[in-house]
Amino acid sequence: LWGPWLCHVGMLLLIAGFALGQRFSLEAYIYGVPGEQREIEGTDYTVRIDDFQIELREDETVEQYTAGLTVIDGKSGQELSGTAQVNAPFDAFGLRLYQNSTGWACQVDVYRDGTLEESPLLCVGETLTPESMPQLSLVFQKFYPDFADTEEGPVSKSSRLDNPCASFLLYYEGRLLAGDVVGLDHEIIAEPFRFVFHDPQPYTLIQIIRDPFRWLAALGGLVILLSLLLCFYLRPEEECTVRLADGTVYGWHHTRGKSSVWRKGDV
C-alpha cells in the first residue's frame, strides 16, 4: 500500500519543486575578459573575471576552458573566488556559475580628425557608436584568427593567431555604408572617423543559475524511486484461492523469493 501512495507523493513534490523553481529561479549570462567586472541583473551580486585559460591538446583541439571568477556581494561586501569549467560549475552565495562558451574580442581605436577619442574593448556581435556621432555605428561581425579566403567564403584555418582578421559592418542612420574583412591595424575610414582593430583576445561567457527549490524536485525524485522499490521489489504477500464446482479448492501463494501452488488436502 505504501508504494503507490508514495509514488503519488513524489510526483506532487516533483511538480511543486519544478513550478516553484520556475517562479523564483534566476538565469543570467555575463561575458567579458580578465579584469572586467559585470553586474548580475536582478541581484545585488557582481562577478569579476580574474582569469580565463584555454587548454589545448597536441592536435590543437580544446581540452578545457577555465575561468577564474570572484563573486562580490553588494550588500555585505563579501567576496568568494573560485574557478568555473565546462561541467564543473563554481558555487557562490546560492548561485551556480557555469563556463558556457567563449569568443573573441578586440580593442578598437576610434580616431576623429586624427585624434584618438576612445579605445573600447569590443566583443564579436557588439556595436560601437562614437560618442561624438551617435548616427554612426560599427558592428564587429566576426573574427578570424587564421583568415583564409575560399570559394565558400572566408574561413579560419586554425585557432592560432597567424593571420587575424575582423569582419565588420558600418552603418549611418541605420543605412549600411560598408562591410568587409580587414586585417588588424588596418584603418576603416568613414570621414571624419577612422576605426582600427587590434589586440585580439578570447572572452568568456558565463551562465549563472539560481534555483532555490531544486532540493524539492530532487526530494520528489528520490521519493518516486523509493516508491518503485516498494512496489516492485518489496512486494507484500499475495494469496489466491479458487473453489471448483466439485468442492475442490486450489490455491496460489507468493511472497518475495518464494511461490507455491497447493490444493485442499495438501494443507
Side-chain angles (χ1 to χ4, degrees):
L1 296 179
W2 280 99
W5 188 83
L6 284 177
C7 185
H8 287 81
V9 171
M11 291 180 182
L12 291 175
L13 291 175
L14 192 63
I15 293 171
F18 177 78
L20 291 172
Q22 291 295 305
R23 174 63 179 83
F24 296 102
S25 65
L26 166 74
E27 183 174 8
Y29 293 87
I30 63 168
Y31 64 92
V33 299
E36 290 191 319
Q37 192 163 297
R38 305 280 187 176
E39 294 182 355
I40 304 176
E41 187 176 355
T43 73
D44 297 316
Y45 299 104
T46 302
V47 178
R48 184 176 67 239
I49 302 172
D50 300 320
D51 188 30
F52 181 55
Q53 299 291 332
I54 302 177
E55 301 174 22
L56 301 178
R57 303 183 182 92
E58 293 183 358
D59 60 357
E60 296 189 358
T61 58
V62 176
E63 182 175 3
Q64 185 60 271
Y65 298 103
T66 303
L69 306 172
T70 297
V71 182
I72 306 167
D73 186 344
K75 290 184 176 179
S76 65
Q78 184 181 359
E79 299 183 2
L80 293 177
S81 298
T83 59
Q85 295 180 328
V86 177
N87 299 323
F90 166 46
D91 293 325
F93 302 112
L95 302 171
R96 178 158 286 191
L97 292 85
Y98 292 86
Q99 167 57 43
N100 184 278
S101 184
T102 184
W104 286 94
C106 284
Q107 295 289 146
V108 183
D109 291 341
V110 182
Y111 295 90
R112 178 164 184 166
D113 297 323
T115 302
L116 180 64
E117 278 199 341
E118 54 181 316
S119 183
L121 182 73
L122 203 64
C123 296
V124 170
E126 289 187 326
T127 299
L128 169 63
T129 300
E131 295 181 0
S132 59
M133 186 177 288
Q135 303 95 325
L136 189 65
S137 299
L138 177 73
V139 180
F140 187 6
Q141 191 177 31
K142 197 169 184 179
F143 182 77
Y144 303 93
D146 190 7
F147 175 78
D149 194 6
T150 67
E151 294 181 356
E152 290 76 22
V155 298
S156 184
K157 295 184 294 184
S158 70
S159 59
R160 300 188 305 270
L161 293 171
D162 288 342
N163 183 30
C165 293
S167 171
F168 73 93
L169 296 173
L170 194 63
Y171 291 90
Y172 182 77
E173 293 184 343
R175 292 181 290 107
L176 180 64
L177 293 181
D180 202 353
V181 178
V182 297
L184 300 191
D185 298 322
H186 178 84
E187 289 187 342
I188 302 170
I189 301 174
E191 294 293 352
F193 288 92
R194 296 172 185 264
F195 304 93
V196 179
F197 286 90
H198 63 94
D199 293 336
Q201 57 182 306
Y203 69 82
T204 176
L205 176 66
I206 304 295
Q207 181 184 20
I208 303 166
I209 295 177
R210 180 179 63 191
D211 186 355
F213 291 94
R214 183 175 54 210
W215 64 271
L216 185 58
L219 177 62
L222 290 175
V223 171
I224 290 176
L225 289 177
L226 175 61
S227 69
L228 295 177
L229 179 68
L230 294 176
C231 286
F232 297 105
Y233 184 69
L234 299 177
R235 297 184 63 179
E237 180 178 293
E238 296 176 344
E239 185 175 85
C240 176
T241 58
V242 178
R243 182 184 297 275
L244 302 184
D246 60 1
T248 304
V249 177
Y250 285 89
W252 174 79
H253 178 262
H254 170 79
T255 57
R256 183 167 61 90
K258 183 179 178 181
S259 298
S260 62
V261 178
W262 47 270
R263 70 176 185 175
K264 187 176 181 180
D266 296 334
V267 295

